[in-house]
Amino acid sequence: MIDQIDPQWLNSFHCVYECLSFKQAAEFLDIPTSNVSRHIALLEEKLDARLLERTTRRISVTEAGEQLYVSTKPLIDSLSDALQEVNKHASTPMGHLRIVMPDIPILGQAVVTFCAEHPLISISCDTSLSPRENLLDGFDVVLYFHRGKLEDSNWVVKELARLPSVVVAAPSLLEKHSAPYRLEDLHSFPCISTLTAVNGTPWIFTTKEGRLTTVNVKSNFRVNSGFIAKSAALSGVGFAILPLNSCKAEIESGALISIELEQQPEDLVLYAFYAGRKHLAKKISAFLAHLERALQ
């Protein structure tokens, strides 16, 4: 029987019972009066019982209606309380948040401040510059730096920050090698590249029209650390692509020289990957919003 009764019919009946008015019940439920009348009629039809007596002047409740109200009121109240509790939990960040992210100070600090602001959140944080997708099961959010076009993924992708980049070299290196201009010149120059992150060895540039160009550079120094890459560039080990904000001070001091090429290095982008869900858990949406504020 319960599967034949629409909960909205019961809700309309309870309102009419308490108001003794179809019009007032409709105003309270914010639906047309005709809908309320139809709900009551359908409920009476399914129960094969008269619940309300209607006259032109008043509405009275039958014995069957009284029994239905008294019997179902505690159930309706309990259901309402349960739904409100679920809604409260859904709108409050809580639970266990599992993250994979690069081990860099600004992201680490953002995780710490998020946890401090949301004491109902527990954190498990693994660090990796280039996590492999087949090892990501069980994580809620993956933060990942990438340059160039993303490959297709089963995850939802959100761009968090875009970092303009620059090719740099130490003055000592430029004493040995003239500054390159054409991208093809990079084939014969010593370069510092990533080991596995950002697709490994290739450097990616962009034209003024936004088209991407991939250059396989010569590299005997490959690392998965922006800090080590910058240190190597400062020591004259090779040319490097670095986010501008990470080496701006060194460029201004002359410790590194910005190299002007025919095309600009593509931006380094920080992405958040998370499982696609129709209703995103509050702990995830709150964490992503917190990260965006921190990165600004």
Side-chain angles (χ1 to χ4, degrees), residues 170-183:
S172 60
L173 182 65
L174 293 176
E175 291 176 2
K176 302 175 185 176
H177 302 275
S178 58
Y181 173 73
R182 297 177 303 172
L183 298 187

Side-chain angles (χ1 to χ4, degrees), residues 125-153:
C125 183
D126 194 0
T127 56
S128 174
L129 189 62
S130 56
R132 292 168 56 189
E133 186 167 347
N134 62 343
L135 299 178
L136 299 182
D137 289 342
F139 288 99
D140 298 303
V141 180
V142 177
L143 304 181
Y144 178 43
F145 280 110
H146 189 80
R147 200 188 305 273
K149 186 178 179 181
L150 284 171
E151 296 180 359
D152 290 336
S153 171

Side-chain angles (χ1 to χ4, degrees), residues 79-198:
L79 179 60
S80 178
D81 291 343
L83 293 175
Q84 288 180 12
E85 189 66 19
V86 169
N87 180 259
K88 177 183 175 182
H89 283 193
S91 60
T92 302
M94 62 176 58
H96 190 190
L97 184 63
R98 294 164 288 268
I99 309 165
V100 179
M101 68 177 200
D103 186 10
I104 62 175
I106 190 171
L107 294 182
Q109 186 60 38
V111 171
V112 171
T113 55
F114 177 77
C115 205
E117 291 177 12
H118 301 284
L120 297 180
I121 293 282
S122 61
I123 295 282
S124 291
C125 183
D126 194 0
T127 56
S128 174
L129 189 62
S130 56
R132 292 168 56 189
E133 186 167 347
N134 62 343
L135 299 178
L136 299 182
D137 289 342
F139 288 99
D140 298 303
V141 180
V142 177
L143 304 181
Y144 178 43
F145 280 110
H146 189 80
R147 200 188 305 273
K149 186 178 179 181
L150 284 171
E151 296 180 359
D152 290 336
S153 171
N154 293 325
W155 292 64
V156 177
V157 182
K158 181 180 179 65
E159 181 179 313
L160 293 177
R162 182 170 289 270
L163 308 177
S165 299
V166 62
V167 175
V168 294
S172 60
L173 182 65
L174 293 176
E175 291 176 2
K176 302 175 185 176
H177 302 275
S178 58
Y181 173 73
R182 297 177 303 172
L183 298 187
E184 62 187 51
D185 294 339
L186 295 171
H187 295 306
S188 57
F189 282 72
C191 295
I192 300 162
S193 63
T194 56
L195 185 60
T196 56
V198 204

